[in-house]
Amino acid sequence: MNRGKKKSHAKEYAWGYAMIAPLVLGLGVFYFYPVFKVFFDSFHDVGAFNKRKWVGLANYQKMFQDPVMWQSLGNTVKYVLIIVPAVLIISLVLASLLNTGIKGRSFFRVVYFIPAVTMGAAIAMIWRWMYNGDYGILNYILNLLGLESVQFLSNTKTALVSISMVSVWSTTGYNMIILLAGIQGISKSYYEAASIDGANGINQFRHITLPLVTPTLFFVMITTLIGTFQTFDTIYMMINKNSIAMESTQSMVVYFYRNAFEYSKKGYASALAVFLFVIIMVITVFQMKMQNKWVNYE
Amino acid sequence: MRERKIKWGYVIIYLVLIVGILITVLPFIWMFLTSLKSQSEAVKVPPVIFPSVLRFENYSNVFTKIPFARMYLNTIISAVVTVVMQLFLCSMAAYAFGRINFPGRNVIFAVLLAVLMVPSSFFILPQYLIIQNMGLLNTIPALFIPNLFSAFGTFLLRQFFMALPDELEDAARLDGCNHFMIYSRIMLPLIRSGLVALGILTLRFAWNDLMWPLIVNTSTEKMTLSAGLSFMQGQYATDYPTMMAGAVMAVLPLLVMFAIFQKQFIEGVAMSGIKG
């Protein structure tokens, strides 16, 4: 009896291990090993044919003295400061407007979601064409309104903002869907009680919707933040390598990419990756700590 | 008086929403219109809104200028393999993590979840070196191999398996089913909504991703559509109608899928916010 039970336990365990094995192996090779590998490579000079030479902290020393790295980090912070609040505010406003019981809600929802299923490379191409300084439709519209043409992408002052606007355009709909689901999860009874008390739409938004949607808002904020920190497609596709706006728009991830795959400085690129990882970790932990201050979990 | 006020509120709401729609849709319309113009129409100032002749040859030009048909095929293969294999591997592991008791289960699961904390660009350089060592650069498998394994997908599907009642399993046990049979024949059909959600999120990523395909496959014959657009922009930067035609064709399949499965797409994304 006892032996039989033991045997069936062993069999049970074997099934468990067998069924997780392919996934665990794959994640191990392609995700866990790389984590160690990046740290390892960041202490090496990785030359031609991936020959490694131990250089200690030299890559890190170089990184902290590299003005281009600091500029890329500064650009990344600017992207975050522009894109994250804009996406959060616009998607929250749209989601709450869609939740007012208007007609045609599913139509609006579907249309707003279209950029979310569109290839980032194509989005960048479309906007680059519309931003074109000479033939772009946006400059034509500006001229119609009596404004001067703007060199959106080839002026170091406007390029970063122009790219940010494309990111906002392409991620708002996606986040609006998540926020709308969060708003719809709020119990109707709160609104009914508020209506009886005579609260108008704006008051209901401030005192019911906004506080109760904070958990979803927090999720959207974290994902948008991490996504923005890793902005690549739009910048890479909209700004040429030899553009004068290259250094003033390049994000940390783009600079990492160029070092790793264009300048073949894989050791240095690894140090950049480690630094980026540390920054994202610190921000995420900080956000998690801060959430008690403003997120309401019922 | 009161009634009138409420109506004005609705007018403003509709107005805001419609402006939002225009901002969302107009870039797509402009892309489409440009794709049918001649080069001289495209760069005319003031701009020509509608092309005088619909130049569909811009579309066929894309296929002659770059191996666009190959890129289509590569993208389809890569996306289909990624979705199917990821659903299989994640659901099988998710079943084991959610429904089988084995030593170390929770520890292993927690360790796997740690991957979610790491930004994806962090893995990309070693992944590239692994693919290089395997001799797979500039091959189709290079496009999808690292994407077959997903900690997020396992996490998502585990929630679904855990929500299923134990009675199902007990009954199947009495009929002599083993765990793989319970997983594949009984439980998998019951978590369909989870599989659809994960499938859609994965498809969206696999079809649109740029950095990874750009890195591993540099020969145009092995590129995906995303990387192909990037290549085309580098080569034919001022041929706007042809570039827009390429962009239209690259985004169309997913837009059509979205038109058919709107409900599943939107629910899948909404779910990732609630469960994730």
Side-chain angles (χ1 to χ4, degrees), chain A residues 12 17 30-32 38 50 100 103 110 112 116-117 119 128-129 132 135 140 169 230 236-237 253 261, chain B residues 10 14 17 23-24 34 42-43 47 103 111 115 121-123 127 132 146 173 179 204 208 215 233 240 262:
Chain A
E12 184 94 353
Y17 293 124
F30 288 101
Y31 294 85
F32 283 93
V38 170
N50 300 326
T100 48
K103 285 205 178 75
V110 166
Y112 284 138
V117 289
M119 193 176 280
R128 190 177 167 160
W129 167 227
N132 188 298
Y135 320 113
Y140 175 69
W169 179 84
Q230 301 199 75
Y236 180 82
M237 290 288 293
V253 171
F261 302 105
Chain B
Y10 273 100
Y14 274 113
L17 290 174
I23 295 173
T24 308
T34 306
V43 298
V111 171
V115 168
S121 45
F122 193 76
F123 307 111
Q127 285 175 342
Q132 189 182 39
R173 284 298 187 90
H179 271 300
R204 187 176 154 265
N208 295 334
I215 293 165
Q233 187 177 259
Y240 304 109
Q262 318 163 359

Side-chain angles (χ1 to χ4, degrees), chain A residues 75-109:
Chain A
N75 293 337
T76 309
V77 171
K78 283 185 205 159
Y79 283 121
V80 168
L81 291 179
I82 299 170
I83 295 170
V84 176
V87 168
L88 287 185
I89 291 169
I90 299 172
S91 53
L92 185 61
V93 167
L94 289 179
S96 19
L97 292 185
L98 284 185
N99 199 42
T100 48
I102 53 144
K103 285 205 178 75
R105 181 167 79 185
S106 48
F107 166 76
F108 286 113
R109 229 169 40 155

Side-chain angles (χ1 to χ4, degrees), chain A residues 52-76:
Chain A
R52 287 179 175 75
K53 204 182 91 198
W54 173 264
V55 293
L57 288 169
N59 284 325
Y60 290 94
Q61 272 166 353
K62 194 179 136 202
M63 179 171 76
F64 289 120
Q65 289 163 2
D66 177 1
V68 183
M69 189 287 287
W70 288 113
Q71 194 176 7
S72 309
L73 182 59
N75 293 337
T76 309

Side-chain angles (χ1 to χ4, degrees), chain B residues 128-190:
Chain B
Y128 169 83
L129 295 173
I130 296 169
I131 294 290
Q132 189 182 39
N133 283 334
M134 291 164 86
L136 290 176
L137 291 182
N138 277 314
T139 64
I140 305 305
L143 295 171
F144 57 71
I145 289 179
N147 297 328
L148 305 182
F149 314 100
S150 163
F152 167 76
T154 311
F155 172 73
L156 185 76
L157 295 182
R158 179 173 161 268
Q159 316 271 85
F160 283 88
F161 280 119
M162 284 168 65
L164 297 177
D166 290 336
E167 288 79 24
L168 278 171
E169 196 177 326
D170 299 340
R173 284 298 187 90
L174 289 176
D175 291 344
C177 286
N178 64 34
H179 271 300
F180 189 79
M181 286 149 85
I182 299 172
Y183 150 74
S184 58
R185 294 191 200 158
I186 298 168
M187 302 242 166
L188 210 48
L190 295 174

Side-chain angles (χ1 to χ4, degrees), chain A residues 174-213:
Chain A
Y174 185 89
N175 290 309
M176 186 212 75
I177 295 292
I178 297 178
L179 284 169
L180 185 57
I183 291 175
Q184 284 170 337
I186 299 171
S187 165
K188 294 274 174 295
S189 56
Y190 292 112
Y191 293 102
E192 280 156 15
S195 295
I196 293 167
D197 292 345
N200 65 20
I202 290 168
N203 275 328
Q204 289 187 10
F205 176 79
R206 266 189 55 196
H207 298 292
I208 303 172
T209 311
L210 197 54
L212 292 179
V213 82

